[in-house]
């Protein structure tokens, strides 16, 4: 049975999501470029500070090169996660933590995003945790600290044992996993160097205003049947509503000190970049014209709506984060 892409229920300032769709100081943004190039063109850094010149590192605790499955016990609960380490690991590698949609799992998230293949080329580590195992595997976020603590514990373990640089940790996700990522941007941005959001984003002023600014990149399809692009009721009869995604992106731009009035750049028939200038940390939004509740660049899952092949969310997130960090 095709899993529904629910967005985890979270209560804060009378906001809650529950969706089941037919599925699932920088003056100019660092990503004003043609995004049609492929992941094969992404290379490991080669500067004197880059990973290509870093010392070899031997991971411990079973984190050998390749994809391995792991468990941690947090607050009495055992949680699972996959870790992908590139061939020939080096010291101080970046880490990308990526969260699956509701009803999915860590294996599907690794496959759908292609983070593992990209990590082998650009030389970084990937972790894809499993949500809470219940009738529908899900995330706990927004005022419920369980999964923030789980994420912290995973990051701590990888910094300690998998050659990860604590200053180069990034979070990403889709749908409910994007809500989890947004929660980290509001609750734990002191721990993360940047965030990537796909098919769901929110901004709750009393919850997010005090968060340190970090680079944020957002993707959303205009034909998303689960999380409507123009805002409104979420999913099928949930009764919950979301704000228009471009308004949410503008709120993050304001949070990051950007000048009002974004610039739009048409990169392809299905890809429009919306970006702001004068930001303390950049915010970039990609409007996927005709896109569904999907990860851009992933294998097409038409039951979730159209998946564009004109841009890869994973490639663009990586380019964005590394351009901002100067890696």
């Amino acid at each position: 049975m095709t899993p529904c892409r629910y967005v985890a229920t979270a209560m804060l300032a009378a906001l809650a999501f529950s969706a089941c769709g037919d599925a699932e100081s920088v003056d100019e943004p660092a990503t004003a470029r043609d995004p049609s190039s492929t992941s094969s063109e992404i290379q490991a850094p080669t500067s004197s500070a880059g990973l290509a010149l870093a010392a070899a590192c031997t991971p411990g605790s079973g984190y050998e090169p390749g994809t391995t499955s792991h468990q941690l016990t947090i607050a009495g609960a055992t949680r699972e996660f996959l870790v992908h380490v590139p061939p020939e690991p080096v010291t101080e590698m970046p880490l990308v933590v990526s969260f699956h949609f509701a009803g999915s799992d860590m294996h599907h998230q690794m496959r759908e995003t292609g983070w593992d293949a990209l990590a082998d080329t650009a030389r970084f580590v990937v972790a894809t945790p499993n949500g809470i195992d219940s009738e529908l595997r899900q995330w706990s976020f927004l005022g419920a600290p369980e999964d923030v603590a789980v994420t912290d514990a995973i990051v701590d373990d990888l910094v300690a044992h998998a050659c990860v640089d604590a200053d180069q940790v990034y979070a990403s996700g889709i749908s409910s996993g994007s809500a989890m990522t947004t929660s980290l941007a509001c609750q734990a941005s002191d721990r993360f160097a940047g965030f990537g959001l796909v098919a769901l984003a929110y901004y709750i002023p009393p919850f997010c205003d005090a968060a340190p600014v970090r680079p944020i990149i957002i993707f959303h399809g205009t034909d998303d049947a689960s999380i409507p692009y123009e805002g409104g009721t979420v999913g099928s009869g949930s009764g919950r509503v979301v704000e228009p995604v471009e308004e949410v992106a503008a709120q993050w731009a304001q949070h990051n000190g950007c000048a009002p009035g974004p610039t739009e750049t048409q990169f392809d028939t299905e890809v429009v970049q919306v970006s702001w200038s004068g930001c303390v940390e950049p915010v970039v939004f990609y409007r996927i014209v005709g896109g569904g509740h999907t990860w851009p660049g992933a294998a097409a899952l038409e039951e979730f709506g159209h998946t564009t092949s004109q841009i890869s969310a994973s490639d663009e997130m990586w380019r964005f984060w590394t351009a901002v960090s100067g890696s």
Side-chain angles (χ1 to χ4, degrees), residues 144-170:
E146 292 91 340
D147 282 349
V148 175
V150 168
T151 305
D152 265 343
I154 290 171
V155 172
D156 284 342
D157 205 59
L158 294 175
V159 169
H161 302 295
C163 308
V164 164
D165 181 0
D167 293 328
Q168 296 187 76
V169 180
Y170 305 94

Side-chain angles (χ1 to χ4, degrees), residues 48-298:
S48 60
L51 293 176
L53 300 181
C57 181
T58 302
S61 297
Y63 294 127
E64 63 268 11
T67 301
T68 51
S69 182
H70 301 269
Q71 294 182 338
L72 285 177
T73 300
I74 310 297
T78 300
R79 302 295 295 271
E80 296 180 307
F81 58 103
L82 293 180
V83 173
H84 185 84
V85 176
E88 300 180 1
V90 295
T91 58
E92 299 184 340
M93 292 184 291
L95 167 65
V96 174
V97 184
S98 192
F99 300 93
H100 62 74
F101 62 80
S104 182
D105 61 27
M106 57 191 184
H107 299 282
H108 183 269
Q109 184 67 3
M110 190 75 81
R111 290 194 307 270
E112 180 173 9
T113 60
W115 278 125
D116 51 351
L118 181 55
D120 286 348
T121 300
R123 200 177 293 171
F124 58 89
V125 176
V126 184
T128 57
N130 260 353
I132 298 169
D133 279 325
S134 59
E135 182 178 355
L136 182 73
R137 187 174 290 112
Q138 190 52 277
W139 300 105
S140 174
F141 57 91
L142 280 182
E146 292 91 340
D147 282 349
V148 175
V150 168
T151 305
D152 265 343
I154 290 171
V155 172
D156 284 342
D157 205 59
L158 294 175
V159 169
H161 302 295
C163 308
V164 164
D165 181 0
D167 293 328
Q168 296 187 76
V169 180
Y170 305 94
S172 65
I174 179 170
S175 191
S176 171
S178 185
M180 179 65 207
T181 303
T182 307
S183 179
L184 294 172
C186 295
Q187 297 184 89
S189 62
D190 56 339
R191 188 65 192 269
F192 292 86
F195 300 94
L197 313 177
V198 177
L200 194 152
Y202 59 82
Y203 189 92
I204 305 170
F207 194 63
C208 304
D209 279 353
V213 298
R214 292 291 184 269
I216 294 180
I217 182 169
I218 305 170
F219 301 80
H220 204 113
T222 60
D223 290 354
D224 190 323
S226 295
I227 308 296
Y229 185 91
E230 298 294 346
T233 302
V234 170
S236 302
S238 70
R240 305 300 180 185
V241 297
V242 292
E243 295 181 85
V245 64
E246 291 196 30
E247 291 184 13
V248 173
Q251 288 176 293
W252 278 110
Q254 182 179 22
H255 175 269
N256 280 19
C258 305
T263 298
E264 293 195 5
T265 304
Q266 182 92 34
F267 281 129
D268 213 325
T269 57
E270 298 175 354
V271 180
V272 179
Q273 184 197 67
V274 181
S275 57
W276 287 262
S277 62
C279 306
V280 177
E281 293 285 2
V283 176
V284 173
F285 170 70
Y286 283 99
R287 180 191 305 134
I288 308 302
V289 180
H293 198 62
T294 58
W295 187 277

